[in-house]
Amino acid sequence: ESREVDSSFMLGVKRDFYKDSKGVNCVRMSQPDFLENAFEVEFEMYANPYLSERKKFPTVPITPGTFLSKGDAGKDAEEQKAVQEMGYQKLCGILIWACRGTFPECSFAVSQLCKLMSCPSYKCFDRGIQLLAHMYSVRKRGIVFRGDGNPEPIIMCDASFKVDPYTGKTQYGIHVLLCGGPIVAVSKKIPHVSLSTPHAELCAMNYAARAAAWLSNTFTELGLPFLERLLLFGDNTVAILNASEDIVSEKNKYIQLSYYYIREREEHLEIHHMRTDKLIPDIHTKAVPPNTLAKLVGCATGTAEEPFTFLRPKKFA
C-alpha cells in the first residue's frame, strides 16, 4: 500500500530541522510513528503491561551481561513453532529497521536476537519485547546531525573476547560519526575465530579500515574528497601496534593476511588510542550496564549537548 505523506518523512523516518540553544543548525531523524504502531498496535498484547499497568520501561536495550547463542534456542520444535507464531521474525524485522534508522545503540541487542531467528525461545521473545519497549520509551529522541560537528568522518572500533560457545567466534563493533551524528553502526561476529584479545581487536580495526575506504571512495565520487587522513580509534595498544608496524611474534604470526589490509590504508588513516570508557563501539560488543550506556549514548546518537571532537596532535618538523 502506498500513501502520500509529508515531505519531512522518508521510509518511516521523520526529519526535523531546527536551531539549538546556541543557534547551531541541526537535523533530527526519528521514528516515533513507526514505533508507536509497532508497540501499541502490532504487539499490543505485550505492550499492555507497560502502557496500562505502568510497568517500568527498560533503561537499556538488553539486560546487562546477556550473550545469546544456540544454547538459548527453544527447548523443542513445539516451543520454537509457538514463538514463531507469536511473531518473532516480524518482531526482529521491526527491531532491525528501527536500529538501522535511529537506534545505533541497540545494534548489539538486535544482533543477539537475530542469532535465533530460526529456533527462538520464549526467553528470546521476551528479550525482543523488552528491546521494543526500550525503543518506544525514547522514540522521540532519534539521532542528530549538527552544523558544528566533525566535517569529516571519525571512525571507532572495538571487539569483545567473549566467545560464542557454539562457533568460537567473538563480536566486533564499528561506529562512524559525521557532523556529530552516526552514519555507520555495526555489531557483528568476526567471521574467523580469534585466539586473543589483540587478535580480535586487529580484526575489528581491519573492518573499520574497509568502512573508511568505502567512505573515502563515496565522498570522492561526490566531489568532496577528504583533505586529511581519516581518524580511526581503538582501545587496544597491541592491536594498534600490529596495525602500524611490521612486527612478527609468536602471538601474531598466525593472523591471516586478510587482516593486514589496514596497512595498505596507512596513508589514508590516522590511528589513535582511546580509553575504553570513552569508546562508543563498546556498546556494540556487549550488553553494557545503564551507567555505561548513559555515558556513551549521547555521543553515539549525536544528542549530547556538545558533539564529539578530537584535536589532532601537533606535528613537529
Side-chain angles (χ1 to χ4, degrees):
E1 179 185 351
S2 298
R3 58 192 175 94
E4 192 171 326
V5 298
D6 189 275
S7 60
S8 63
F9 284 86
M10 181 175 288
L11 298 176
V13 179
K14 187 172 184 283
R15 183 179 67 244
D16 293 307
F17 293 94
Y18 66 97
K19 290 182 182 290
D20 69 5
S21 58
K22 298 179 180 179
V24 177
N25 290 319
C26 302
V27 56
R28 184 186 305 275
M29 317 289 282
S30 60
Q31 296 169 280
D33 293 353
F34 172 75
L35 287 165
E36 285 170 9
N37 181 72
F39 196 59
E40 299 175 7
V41 180
E42 300 287 350
F43 291 93
E44 178 185 7
M45 179 190 307
Y46 308 101
N48 278 335
Y50 295 97
L51 302 177
S52 301
E53 302 171 17
R54 302 299 178 184
K55 181 179 178 180
K56 187 176 180 181
F57 281 96
T59 57
V60 289
I62 193 167
T63 305
T66 298
F67 189 87
L68 301 178
S69 69
K70 292 297 183 182
D72 298 290
K75 65 179 183 296
D76 51 36
E78 184 178 348
E79 179 179 343
Q80 294 171 19
K81 181 180 178 182
V83 178
Q84 294 286 23
E85 291 175 350
M86 290 166 66
Y88 187 76
Q89 292 186 347
K90 183 176 186 178
L91 175 59
C92 285
I94 288 171
L95 296 172
I96 290 171
W97 186 249
C99 178
R100 287 180 174 177
T102 57
F103 288 89
E105 77 276 16
C106 296
S107 58
F108 176 80
V110 170
S111 73
Q112 296 300 297
L113 295 171
C114 288
K115 287 181 182 180
L116 298 152
M117 289 275 279
S118 63
C119 53
S121 62
Y122 293 116
K123 172 186 174 182
C124 294
F125 188 85
D126 289 343
R127 294 289 171 86
I129 293 297
Q130 173 188 321
L131 176 54
L132 183 59
H134 171 73
M135 289 179 169
Y136 177 85
S137 69
V138 291
R139 61 192 180 279
K140 294 182 180 180
R141 184 213 65 204
I143 57 176
V144 175
F145 299 89
R146 310 164 52 95
D148 61 348
N150 53 300
E152 294 191 349
I154 293 175
I155 306 163
M156 306 179 197
C157 63
D158 191 26
S160 166
F161 199 50
K162 173 75 173 179
V163 177
D164 186 317
Y166 285 78
T167 65
K169 298 174 182 177
T170 57
Q171 199 87 358
Y172 77 94
I174 299 171
H175 201 91
V176 183
L177 296 173
L178 180 66
C179 295
I183 58 171
V184 175
V186 173
S187 179
K188 292 183 178 180
K189 276 185 182 179
I190 296 173
H192 302 100
V193 174
S194 302
L195 301 182
S196 65
T197 298
H199 186 184
E201 297 278 5
L202 181 61
C203 293
M205 291 178 69
N206 275 271
Y207 288 115
R210 296 181 195 185
W214 166 69
L215 286 167
S216 180
N217 293 337
T218 300
F219 275 74
T220 298
E221 289 177 9
L222 292 172
L224 301 167
F226 300 137
L227 302 179
E228 296 190 75
R229 292 187 295 171
L230 293 185
L231 291 167
L232 172 59
F233 293 94
D235 64 354
N236 189 279
T237 54
V238 176
I240 292 173
L241 182 64
N242 286 337
S244 56
E245 302 288 344
D246 290 322
I247 297 174
V248 179
S249 70
E250 286 294 322
K251 294 185 178 180
N252 74 4
K253 65 182 181 181
Y254 55 80
I255 298 176
Q256 297 189 47
L257 290 177
S258 60
Y259 288 115
Y260 285 103
Y261 165 75
I262 192 169
R263 292 184 184 172
E264 292 189 359
R265 303 294 302 172
E266 185 176 5
E267 63 184 79
H268 304 282
L269 292 172
E270 187 175 317
I271 305 173
H272 293 277
H273 177 267
M274 181 179 287
R275 283 171 26 194
T276 302
D277 62 346
K278 293 186 176 182
L279 195 68
I280 294 173
D282 189 46
I283 62 179
H284 299 327
T285 64
K286 61 181 73 70
V288 298
N291 61 326
T292 300
L293 182 70
K295 185 175 181 179
L296 296 175
V297 73
C299 284
T301 58
T303 56
E305 291 186 8
E306 298 290 339
F308 178 89
T309 57
F310 177 77
L311 295 177
R312 295 174 186 264
K314 291 183 179 181
K315 297 179 180 179
F316 298 96

